[in-house]
Coordinates of all heavy atoms in Angstrom, one line a residue:
M1 N -91.6 -125.5 23.2 CA -92.6 -126.4 23.9 C -93.9 -126.0 23.6 O -94.4 -124.8 23.4 CB -92.3 -126.2 25.4 CG -93.3 -127.0 26.2 SD -92.7 -126.8 28.0 CE -93.8 -128.0 28.7
D2 N -94.8 -127.0 23.2 CA -96.1 -126.8 22.8 C -97.0 -126.5 24.0 O -96.8 -127.0 25.1 CB -96.8 -128.0 22.1 CG -96.1 -128.3 20.8 OD1 -95.6 -127.4 20.1 OD2 -95.9 -129.5 20.5
A3 N -97.9 -125.6 23.8 CA -98.9 -125.2 24.9 C -99.9 -126.3 25.1 O -100.2 -127.0 24.2 CB -99.7 -123.9 24.5
L4 N -100.3 -126.5 26.3 CA -101.2 -127.5 26.6 C -102.6 -126.8 26.9 O -102.6 -125.8 27.7 CB -100.8 -128.3 27.9 CG -99.5 -129.1 27.7 CD1 -99.2 -129.7 29.1 CD2 -99.7 -130.2 26.7
W5 N -103.6 -127.3 26.3 CA -104.9 -126.7 26.5 C -105.8 -127.6 27.3 O -105.8 -128.8 27.0 CB -105.6 -126.4 25.1 CG -104.8 -125.4 24.3 CD1 -103.8 -125.5 23.5 CD2 -104.9 -124.0 24.4 NE1 -103.3 -124.4 23.0 CE2 -103.9 -123.4 23.6 CE3 -105.7 -123.1 25.2 CZ2 -103.9 -121.9 23.5 CZ3 -105.7 -121.8 25.0 CH2 -104.7 -121.2 24.2
V6 N -106.6 -127.0 28.2 CA -107.5 -127.8 29.0 C -108.9 -127.4 28.4 O -109.4 -126.2 28.4 CB -107.6 -127.5 30.4 CG1 -108.7 -128.2 31.1 CG2 -106.2 -128.0 31.0
V7 N -109.5 -128.2 27.7 CA -110.8 -127.9 27.1 C -111.9 -128.1 28.1 O -112.1 -129.2 28.7 CB -111.1 -128.9 25.8 CG1 -112.4 -128.5 25.2 CG2 -110.0 -128.7 24.9
Q8 N -112.7 -127.0 28.3 CA -113.9 -127.1 29.1 C -115.1 -127.6 28.4 O -115.2 -127.5 27.2 CB -114.2 -125.7 29.7 CG -113.1 -125.1 30.5 CD -113.5 -123.8 31.1 OE1 -114.6 -123.3 30.9 NE2 -112.5 -123.2 31.9
P9 N -116.0 -128.2 29.1 CA -117.2 -128.7 28.5 C -118.0 -127.5 27.8 O -117.8 -126.4 28.3 CB -118.0 -129.4 29.6 CG -117.4 -128.9 30.8 CD -116.0 -128.5 30.5
P10 N -118.9 -127.8 26.9 CA -119.6 -126.7 26.2 C -120.5 -126.0 27.3 O -120.8 -124.8 27.1 CB -120.5 -127.3 25.2 CG -120.4 -128.8 25.5 CD -119.2 -129.1 26.4
Y11 N -121.0 -126.6 28.3 CA -121.8 -126.0 29.3 C -121.2 -126.2 30.6 O -121.1 -127.4 31.1 CB -123.3 -126.5 29.2 CG -124.0 -126.0 30.4 CD1 -124.5 -124.6 30.4 CD2 -124.4 -126.8 31.5 CE1 -125.2 -124.2 31.5 CE2 -125.1 -126.2 32.5 CZ -125.5 -124.9 32.5 OH -126.2 -124.4 33.5
A12 N -120.7 -125.2 31.2 CA -120.1 -125.3 32.6 C -120.6 -124.2 33.4 O -120.2 -123.0 33.3 CB -118.5 -125.2 32.4
P13 N -121.6 -124.4 34.2 CA -122.3 -123.4 35.0 C -121.2 -122.6 35.9 O -121.4 -121.5 36.1 CB -123.4 -124.0 35.8 CG -123.1 -125.5 35.8 CD -122.2 -125.7 34.5
E14 N -120.3 -123.4 36.4 CA -119.3 -122.8 37.2 C -117.9 -123.3 36.7 O -117.3 -124.2 37.3 CB -119.4 -123.1 38.8 CG -120.5 -122.2 39.3 CD -120.5 -122.4 40.8 OE1 -119.4 -122.2 41.5 OE2 -121.6 -122.6 41.4
P15 N -117.3 -122.7 35.8 CA -116.1 -123.3 35.2 C -114.9 -123.1 36.2 O -113.8 -123.7 36.1 CB -115.8 -122.6 33.9 CG -116.7 -121.4 34.0 CD -117.8 -121.7 34.9
D16 N -115.0 -122.1 37.1 CA -114.0 -121.9 38.0 C -114.2 -122.6 39.4 O -115.1 -122.3 40.2 CB -114.1 -120.4 38.4 CG -112.8 -119.9 39.2 OD1 -112.0 -120.7 39.7 OD2 -112.7 -118.7 39.6
P17 N -113.5 -123.7 39.6 CA -113.8 -124.7 40.7 C -113.6 -124.1 42.1 O -114.2 -124.5 43.0 CB -112.8 -125.8 40.5 CG -111.8 -125.3 39.6 CD -112.4 -124.2 38.8
V18 N -112.7 -123.0 42.1 CA -112.5 -122.5 43.4 C -113.8 -121.7 44.0 O -113.9 -121.6 45.2 CB -111.3 -121.5 43.4 CG1 -111.6 -120.2 42.8 CG2 -110.7 -121.4 44.7
K19 N -114.7 -121.3 43.0 CA -115.8 -120.7 43.5 C -116.6 -121.6 44.4 O -117.3 -121.1 45.5 CB -116.8 -120.2 42.3 CG -116.1 -119.1 41.6 CD -117.1 -118.7 40.5 CE -116.6 -117.5 39.7 NZ -117.5 -117.2 38.5
R20 N -116.6 -122.8 44.2 CA -117.5 -123.8 44.9 C -116.8 -124.0 46.3 O -117.5 -124.0 47.3 CB -117.4 -125.1 44.2 CG -118.4 -126.1 44.8 CD -118.5 -127.3 43.8 NE -119.4 -128.3 44.4 CZ -119.5 -129.6 43.9 NH1 -118.8 -129.9 42.8 NH2 -120.2 -130.4 44.5
F21 N -115.5 -123.9 46.3 CA -114.7 -124.1 47.6 C -115.1 -122.8 48.4 O -115.4 -123.0 49.6 CB -113.3 -124.1 47.3 CG -112.4 -124.1 48.5 CD1 -112.1 -125.4 49.2 CD2 -111.9 -123.0 49.1 CE1 -111.3 -125.4 50.3 CE2 -111.1 -123.0 50.2 CZ -110.8 -124.3 50.8
F22 N -115.0 -121.7 47.9 CA -115.3 -120.4 48.7 C -116.7 -120.3 49.1 O -117.1 -119.8 50.2 CB -114.8 -119.2 48.0 CG -113.3 -119.0 48.1 CD1 -112.5 -119.2 47.1 CD2 -112.7 -118.6 49.4 CE1 -111.1 -119.0 47.2 CE2 -111.4 -118.6 49.5 CZ -110.5 -118.7 48.4
R23 N -117.6 -120.9 48.3 CA -119.0 -120.9 48.7 C -119.3 -121.6 49.9 O -119.9 -121.3 50.9 CB -119.9 -121.4 47.5 CG -121.4 -121.4 47.9 CD -122.2 -122.0 46.8 NE -121.9 -123.4 46.7 CZ -122.1 -124.2 45.6 NH1 -122.4 -123.6 44.5 NH2 -121.7 -125.4 45.6
E24 N -118.6 -122.9 50.0 CA -118.7 -123.7 51.2 C -118.1 -123.0 52.4 O -118.6 -123.1 53.5 CB -118.0 -125.1 50.9 CG -118.6 -125.9 50.0 CD -119.9 -126.6 50.5 OE1 -119.8 -127.0 51.8 OE2 -120.9 -126.7 49.8
L25 N -117.0 -122.3 52.1 CA -116.3 -121.6 53.2 C -117.2 -120.4 53.7 O -117.4 -120.3 54.9 CB -115.0 -121.1 52.8 CG -114.1 -120.5 53.7 CD1 -113.7 -121.5 54.8 CD2 -112.8 -120.0 53.2
R26 N -117.9 -119.7 52.8 CA -118.8 -118.6 53.3 C -119.9 -119.3 54.1 O -120.4 -118.7 55.1 CB -119.4 -117.9 52.1 CG -118.4 -116.9 51.6 CD -119.0 -115.9 50.5 NE -119.8 -116.6 49.5 CZ -119.3 -117.0 48.3 NH1 -118.1 -116.9 48.1 NH2 -120.1 -117.6 47.5
W27 N -120.5 -120.3 53.6 CA -121.6 -121.0 54.3 C -121.2 -121.4 55.8 O -122.0 -121.3 56.7 CB -122.1 -122.2 53.6 CG -122.9 -121.9 52.4 CD1 -123.5 -120.7 52.0 CD2 -123.3 -122.9 51.4 NE1 -124.1 -120.9 50.9 CE2 -124.0 -122.2 50.5 CE3 -123.0 -124.2 51.2 CZ2 -124.6 -122.8 49.3 CZ3 -123.6 -124.8 50.1 CH2 -124.3 -124.1 49.1
A28 N -120.0 -121.7 55.9 CA -119.5 -122.1 57.3 C -119.4 -120.9 58.3 O -119.5 -121.2 59.5 CB -118.2 -122.8 57.2
V29 N -119.3 -119.8 57.8 CA -119.1 -118.6 58.7 C -120.2 -117.5 58.5 O -120.2 -116.6 59.4 CB -117.8 -118.0 58.5 CG1 -116.6 -118.9 58.9 CG2 -117.6 -117.4 57.2
E30 N -121.1 -117.7 57.7 CA -122.1 -116.7 57.5 C -123.2 -116.8 58.6 O -123.2 -117.7 59.4 CB -122.8 -116.7 56.1 CG -123.7 -117.9 55.9 CD -124.3 -117.9 54.5 OE1 -123.9 -117.1 53.7 OE2 -125.1 -118.8 54.3
D31 N -124.0 -115.8 58.7 CA -125.1 -115.7 59.7 C -124.6 -115.6 61.1 O -125.3 -116.0 62.0 CB -126.1 -116.9 59.6 CG -126.9 -117.0 58.3 OD1 -127.1 -115.9 57.7 OD2 -127.1 -118.1 57.9
R32 N -123.4 -115.0 61.2 CA -122.9 -114.7 62.6 C -122.2 -113.4 62.5 O -121.8 -112.9 61.5 CB -121.7 -115.7 62.9 CG -122.2 -117.1 63.0 CD -121.1 -118.1 63.5 NE -121.6 -119.4 63.2 CZ -120.8 -120.4 62.8 NH1 -119.5 -120.1 62.5 NH2 -121.2 -121.6 62.6
V33 N -122.3 -112.7 63.6 CA -121.7 -111.4 63.7 C -120.4 -111.5 64.5 O -120.4 -112.1 65.6 CB -122.6 -110.4 64.4 CG1 -121.9 -109.1 64.6 CG2 -123.9 -110.2 63.7
Y34 N -119.3 -111.1 64.0 CA -118.0 -111.3 64.5 C -117.5 -109.9 65.0 O -117.7 -108.9 64.2 CB -117.0 -111.7 63.5 CG -117.3 -113.2 63.0 CD1 -118.1 -113.4 61.9 CD2 -116.9 -114.3 63.7 CE1 -118.5 -114.6 61.5 CE2 -117.2 -115.5 63.3 CZ -118.0 -115.7 62.1 OH -118.3 -117.0 61.8
P35 N -117.2 -109.7 66.2 CA -116.8 -108.4 66.7 C -115.6 -107.8 66.0 O -115.5 -106.5 66.0 CB -116.5 -108.7 68.2 CG -116.1 -110.2 68.4 CD -116.9 -110.7 67.2
T36 N -114.7 -108.6 65.5 CA -113.5 -108.1 64.8 C -113.1 -109.0 63.6 O -113.6 -110.1 63.6 CB -112.4 -108.0 65.8 OG1 -111.9 -109.3 66.1 CG2 -112.5 -107.2 67.0
L37 N -112.4 -108.5 62.8 CA -111.8 -109.2 61.7 C -111.1 -110.4 62.2 O -111.1 -111.5 61.8 CB -111.1 -108.4 60.7 CG -110.5 -109.2 59.5 CD1 -111.5 -109.8 58.7 CD2 -109.6 -108.1 58.7
Q38 N -110.3 -110.2 63.2 CA -109.5 -111.2 63.9 C -110.4 -112.4 64.4 O -110.0 -113.6 64.2 CB -108.7 -110.6 65.0 CG -107.8 -111.7 65.8 CD -106.6 -112.1 64.9 OE1 -106.1 -111.4 64.1 NE2 -106.2 -113.3 65.2
A39 N -111.6 -112.0 64.9 CA -112.4 -113.1 65.5 C -113.0 -113.9 64.3 O -113.1 -115.1 64.4 CB -113.6 -112.5 66.2
K40 N -113.2 -113.3 63.2 CA -113.7 -114.0 62.0 C -112.6 -115.0 61.5 O -112.7 -116.1 61.1 CB -114.2 -113.1 60.9 CG -114.9 -113.9 59.8 CD -115.6 -112.9 58.8 CE -116.5 -113.7 57.8 NZ -117.2 -112.8 57.1
Q41 N -111.3 -114.4 61.5 CA -110.2 -115.2 60.9 C -110.0 -116.4 61.9 O -109.7 -117.6 61.5 CB -108.9 -114.4 60.9 CG -109.0 -113.4 59.8 CD -107.9 -112.4 59.9 OE1 -107.3 -112.2 61.0 NE2 -107.4 -111.9 58.8
E42 N -110.2 -116.2 63.2 CA -110.0 -117.3 64.2 C -111.0 -118.4 64.0 O -110.9 -119.6 64.3 CB -110.0 -116.7 65.5 CG -108.7 -116.0 65.9 CD -108.9 -115.3 67.3 OE1 -109.9 -115.3 68.0 OE2 -107.9 -114.5 67.5
A43 N -112.3 -117.9 63.5 CA -113.4 -118.9 63.3 C -113.1 -119.8 62.0 O -113.4 -120.9 61.9 CB -114.7 -118.2 63.1
L44 N -112.4 -119.1 61.1 CA -112.1 -119.8 59.8 C -110.9 -120.8 60.0 O -110.8 -121.8 59.2 CB -111.7 -118.8 58.8 CG -112.9 -118.0 58.1 CD1 -112.3 -116.9 57.3 CD2 -113.6 -119.0 57.3
E45 N -110.1 -120.6 60.9 CA -108.8 -121.4 61.0 C -109.1 -122.9 61.2 O -108.5 -123.7 60.6 CB -107.9 -120.8 62.1 CG -106.6 -121.5 62.2 CD -105.6 -120.9 63.1 OE1 -105.8 -119.7 63.4 OE2 -104.7 -121.6 63.5
P46 N -110.0 -123.3 62.2 CA -110.3 -124.7 62.4 C -111.0 -125.3 61.2 O -110.7 -126.5 60.8 CB -111.1 -124.8 63.6 CG -111.6 -123.4 63.8 CD -110.7 -122.5 63.2
I47 N -111.7 -124.6 60.5 CA -112.4 -125.1 59.2 C -111.4 -125.3 58.1 O -111.4 -126.4 57.6 CB -113.5 -124.0 58.8 CG1 -114.5 -123.8 59.8 CG2 -114.0 -124.4 57.4 CD1 -115.4 -122.6 59.6
L48 N -110.4 -124.4 57.9 CA -109.4 -124.6 56.9 C -108.5 -125.8 57.3 O -108.1 -126.5 56.4 CB -108.6 -123.3 56.7 CG -109.5 -122.2 56.1 CD1 -108.6 -120.9 56.1 CD2 -109.9 -122.5 54.6
K49 N -108.2 -125.9 58.6 CA -107.3 -127.0 59.0 C -108.0 -128.3 58.8 O -107.4 -129.3 58.4 CB -106.9 -126.8 60.5 CG -105.9 -125.8 60.7 CD -105.4 -125.7 62.1 CE -104.3 -124.7 62.2 NZ -103.8 -124.6 63.6
A50 N -109.3 -128.4 59.1 CA -110.1 -129.6 58.9 C -110.0 -130.0 57.4 O -109.9 -131.2 57.0 CB -111.4 -129.5 59.4
W51 N -110.2 -129.0 56.5 CA -110.2 -129.2 55.0 C -108.8 -129.7 54.6 O -108.6 -130.5 53.7 CB -110.6 -128.0 54.3 CG -112.2 -127.8 54.4 CD1 -113.0 -128.6 55.1 CD2 -112.9 -126.9 53.7 NE1 -114.3 -128.1 54.9 CE2 -114.3 -127.1 54.1 CE3 -112.6 -125.8 52.9 CZ2 -115.3 -126.2 53.6 CZ3 -113.6 -125.0 52.4 CH2 -115.0 -125.2 52.8
Q52 N -107.8 -129.1 55.2 CA -106.4 -129.4 54.9 C -106.2 -130.9 55.3 O -105.5 -131.6 54.5 CB -105.4 -128.6 55.6 CG -104.0 -128.8 55.2 CD -103.0 -127.9 56.0 OE1 -103.4 -127.1 56.9 NE2 -101.8 -127.7 55.4
A53 N -106.8 -131.4 56.3 CA -106.7 -132.8 56.7 C -107.6 -133.7 55.9 O -107.4 -134.9 56.1 CB -107.0 -132.9 58.3
D54 N -108.4 -133.2 55.1 CA -109.3 -134.0 54.3 C -109.3 -133.7 52.9 O -110.2 -133.1 52.3 CB -110.7 -133.8 54.9 CG -111.7 -134.8 54.3 OD1 -111.4 -135.7 53.5 OD2 -112.9 -134.6 54.6
P55 N -108.2 -134.0 52.2 CA -108.0 -133.7 50.7 C -109.1 -134.3 49.9 O -109.5 -133.6 48.8 CB -106.6 -134.1 50.3 CG -106.2 -135.0 51.4 CD -107.0 -134.7 52.7
A56 N -109.7 -135.3 50.3 CA -110.9 -135.9 49.5 C -111.9 -135.0 49.4 O -112.6 -134.9 48.4 CB -111.2 -137.3 50.1
R57 N -112.2 -134.3 50.4 CA -113.4 -133.2 50.5 C -113.1 -132.2 49.5 O -113.9 -131.8 48.8 CB -113.7 -132.8 51.9 CG -114.8 -131.8 51.8 CD -115.2 -131.4 53.2 NE -116.3 -130.6 53.1 CZ -116.8 -129.7 54.1 NH1 -116.1 -129.6 55.3 NH2 -117.8 -128.9 54.0
V58 N -111.9 -131.7 49.6 CA -111.5 -130.6 48.7 C -111.5 -131.1 47.2 O -111.9 -130.3 46.4 CB -110.1 -130.0 49.0 CG1 -109.6 -129.0 48.1 CG2 -110.1 -129.5 50.4
R59 N -111.1 -132.3 47.0 CA -111.2 -132.8 45.5 C -112.6 -133.0 45.1 O -113.0 -132.6 44.0 CB -110.5 -134.2 45.5 CG -109.0 -134.2 45.3 CD -108.5 -135.6 44.9 NE -108.6 -136.6 45.9 CZ -107.8 -136.8 47.0 NH1 -106.8 -136.1 47.1 NH2 -108.1 -137.7 47.8
W60 N -113.5 -133.3 46.1 CA -114.9 -133.4 45.8 C -115.5 -132.0 45.4 O -116.3 -131.9 44.5 CB -115.6 -134.0 46.9 CG -117.1 -134.0 46.7 CD1 -117.8 -134.9 46.0 CD2 -118.1 -133.0 47.2 NE1 -119.2 -134.5 46.0 CE2 -119.4 -133.5 46.8 CE3 -117.9 -131.9 48.0 CZ2 -120.5 -132.7 47.1 CZ3 -119.1 -131.3 48.3 CH2 -120.4 -131.6 47.9
L61 N -115.0 -131.0 46.2 CA -115.5 -129.7 46.0 C -115.0 -129.0 44.6 O -115.7 -128.4 43.9 CB -115.1 -128.7 47.1 CG -115.9 -128.8 48.3 CD1 -115.1 -128.0 49.5 CD2 -117.3 -128.4 48.2
C62 N -113.7 -129.3 44.3 CA -113.1 -128.6 43.2 C -112.7 -129.6 42.0 O -112.4 -129.0 40.9 CB -111.8 -128.0 43.7 SG -112.1 -126.8 45.0
G63 N -112.8 -130.9 42.2 CA -112.4 -131.7 41.1 C -113.5 -132.3 40.3 O -113.8 -133.6 40.4
W64 N -114.1 -131.6 39.5 CA -115.2 -132.1 38.6 C -114.6 -133.0 37.6 O -113.4 -133.0 37.3 CB -116.0 -130.9 37.8 CG -116.6 -130.1 38.8 CD1 -117.5 -130.5 39.8 CD2 -116.7 -128.6 38.8 NE1 -118.0 -129.4 40.5 CE2 -117.6 -128.3 39.9 CE3 -116.1 -127.7 38.1 CZ2 -117.9 -127.0 40.1 CZ3 -116.4 -126.3 38.4 CH2 -117.3 -126.0 39.4
A65 N -115.4 -133.9 37.0 CA -115.0 -134.9 36.1 C -114.1 -134.4 35.0 O -113.0 -135.0 34.6 CB -116.2 -135.7 35.6
W66 N -114.5 -133.2 34.4 CA -113.8 -132.8 33.3 C -112.4 -132.2 33.7 O -111.4 -132.4 32.9 CB -114.5 -131.7 32.5 CG -114.8 -130.4 33.2 CD1 -115.9 -130.1 34.1 CD2 -114.0 -129.2 33.3 NE1 -115.7 -128.9 34.6 CE2 -114.6 -128.3 34.1 CE3 -112.8 -128.9 32.7 CZ2 -114.1 -127.0 34.4 CZ3 -112.3 -127.6 32.9 CH2 -112.9 -126.7 33.7
I67 N -112.2 -131.8 35.0 CA -110.9 -131.4 35.4 C -110.1 -132.6 35.7 O -108.9 -132.6 35.3 CB -111.1 -130.4 36.7 CG1 -111.8 -129.1 36.4 CG2 -109.8 -130.3 37.4 CD1 -112.1 -128.4 37.6
R68 N -110.6 -133.6 36.4 CA -109.8 -134.8 36.6 C -109.4 -135.4 35.3 O -108.2 -135.9 35.2 CB -110.7 -135.8 37.5 CG -110.9 -135.4 38.9 CD -111.5 -136.4 39.8 NE -112.6 -137.1 39.3 CZ -113.8 -136.6 39.4 NH1 -114.1 -135.5 40.2 NH2 -114.9 -137.3 39.0
E69 N -110.2 -135.5 34.4 CA -109.9 -136.1 33.0 C -108.7 -135.3 32.3 O -107.8 -135.8 31.8 CB -111.1 -136.2 32.1 CG -112.1 -137.2 32.6 CD -111.4 -138.7 32.7 OE1 -110.7 -139.0 31.9 OE2 -111.8 -139.2 33.8
A70 N -108.8 -133.9 32.4 CA -107.8 -133.1 31.8 C -106.5 -133.3 32.5 O -105.4 -133.3 31.9 CB -108.2 -131.6 31.9
L71 N -106.5 -133.4 33.9 CA -105.3 -133.6 34.6 C -104.6 -135.0 34.2 O -103.4 -135.2 34.2 CB -105.5 -133.6 36.2 CG -105.8 -132.2 36.7 CD1 -106.2 -132.2 38.1 CD2 -104.6 -131.3 36.4
K72 N -105.5 -136.0 34.1 CA -105.0 -137.3 33.7 C -104.3 -137.3 32.3 O -103.4 -138.0 32.0 CB -106.1 -138.4 33.6 CG -106.6 -138.8 35.0 CD -107.7 -139.8 34.9 CE -108.4 -140.1 36.2 NZ -109.6 -141.0 36.0
A73 N -104.9 -136.4 31.4 CA -104.2 -136.3 30.0 C -103.0 -135.6 30.0 O -102.3 -135.6 28.9 CB -105.4 -135.6 29.2
L74 N -102.6 -134.9 31.0 CA -101.3 -134.1 31.0 C -100.2 -135.1 30.9 O -100.2 -136.2 31.5 CB -101.2 -133.2 32.2 CG -102.1 -132.1 32.3 CD1 -102.0 -131.4 33.6 CD2 -101.9 -131.1 31.2
P75 N -99.1 -134.7 30.2 CA -97.9 -135.6 30.1 C -97.3 -135.8 31.5 O -97.4 -134.9 32.3 CB -96.9 -134.9 29.3 CG -97.5 -133.4 29.1 CD -98.9 -133.5 29.6
T76 N -96.8 -137.0 31.8 CA -96.1 -137.2 33.1 C -94.8 -136.5 33.2 O -94.3 -136.3 34.3 CB -96.0 -138.7 33.3 OG1 -95.3 -139.3 32.2 CG2 -97.3 -139.4 33.4
D77 N -94.2 -136.2 32.1 CA -92.8 -135.6 32.0 C -93.1 -134.1 32.1 O -93.3 -133.4 31.0 CB -92.0 -136.0 30.9 CG -90.6 -135.3 31.0 OD1 -90.2 -134.8 32.0 OD2 -90.0 -135.3 29.9
T78 N -93.1 -133.5 33.3 CA -93.4 -132.1 33.4 C -92.2 -131.2 33.7 O -92.3 -130.1 34.1 CB -94.5 -131.8 34.4 OG1 -94.1 -132.3 35.7 CG2 -95.8 -132.4 34.0
Q79 N -91.1 -131.8 33.6 CA -89.8 -131.1 33.9 C -89.5 -130.0 32.8 O -89.7 -130.2 31.7 CB -88.6 -132.1 33.8 CG -87.4 -131.4 34.4 CD -86.3 -132.5 34.4 OE1 -86.4 -133.6 34.0 NE2 -85.2 -132.2 35.2
V80 N -89.3 -128.8 33.4 CA -89.1 -127.7 32.6 C -87.6 -127.6 32.1 O -86.7 -127.7 33.1 CB -89.5 -126.4 33.2 CG1 -89.2 -125.2 32.4 CG2 -91.1 -126.4 33.6
T81 N -87.3 -127.4 31.0 CA -85.9 -127.2 30.5 C -85.7 -125.8 30.0 O -86.7 -125.2 29.4 CB -85.6 -128.2 29.4 OG1 -86.5 -128.0 28.3 CG2 -85.6 -129.6 29.8
Q82 N -84.6 -125.3 30.3 CA -84.2 -123.9 29.8 C -83.5 -123.9 28.5 O -82.6 -124.8 28.3 CB -83.4 -123.1 30.9 CG -84.2 -123.0 32.2 CD -83.4 -122.2 33.2 OE1 -82.3 -121.8 32.9 NE2 -84.0 -121.8 34.4
S83 N -83.7 -123.0 27.6 CA -83.1 -123.0 26.3 C -81.8 -122.2 26.5 O -81.6 -121.4 27.2 CB -83.9 -122.3 25.3 OG -85.3 -122.7 25.4

């Protein structure tokens, strides 16, 4: 099976899309003091649930045009066969 390569643009200030997601997550909980780690986790839970219910927002955060185009170019037959 041939390897599939996703070519990144020559200039990508943040080639790792998850960084943008976590930056938004940090902004949602920063500038507050949490008495415990559990309290901070509890503050994150409704935010993550809201994002889970809104996949369009997550696509907006992580789905840059070059990523969407690379995904469209992948073959539709992705079934793995064993030799």
Side-chain angles (χ1 to χ4, degrees):
M1 181 175 186
D2 295 328
L4 297 174
W5 294 92
V6 174
V7 179
Q8 294 183 2
Y11 173 71
E14 282 192 53
D16 186 359
V18 78
K19 287 181 180 181
R20 191 169 175 191
F21 178 85
F22 280 109
R23 183 183 64 206
E24 291 286 319
L25 192 57
R26 281 193 311 272
W27 284 347
V29 295
E30 71 180 7
D31 294 331
R32 297 183 195 141
V33 176
Y34 298 92
T36 64
L37 180 57
Q38 179 69 30
K40 190 169 190 174
Q41 289 172 332
E42 290 170 2
L44 285 168
E45 189 172 340
I47 296 164
L48 292 172
K49 284 184 179 183
W51 286 4
Q52 185 178 16
D54 188 4
R57 182 174 182 198
V58 176
R59 277 193 300 273
W60 175 81
L61 286 170
C62 301
W64 292 317
W66 66 270
I67 293 173
R68 289 192 308 272
E69 291 303 316
L71 289 173
K72 286 179 191 174
L74 290 176
T76 55
D77 180 17
T78 58
Q79 188 173 12
V80 177
T81 59
Q82 294 184 357
S83 313

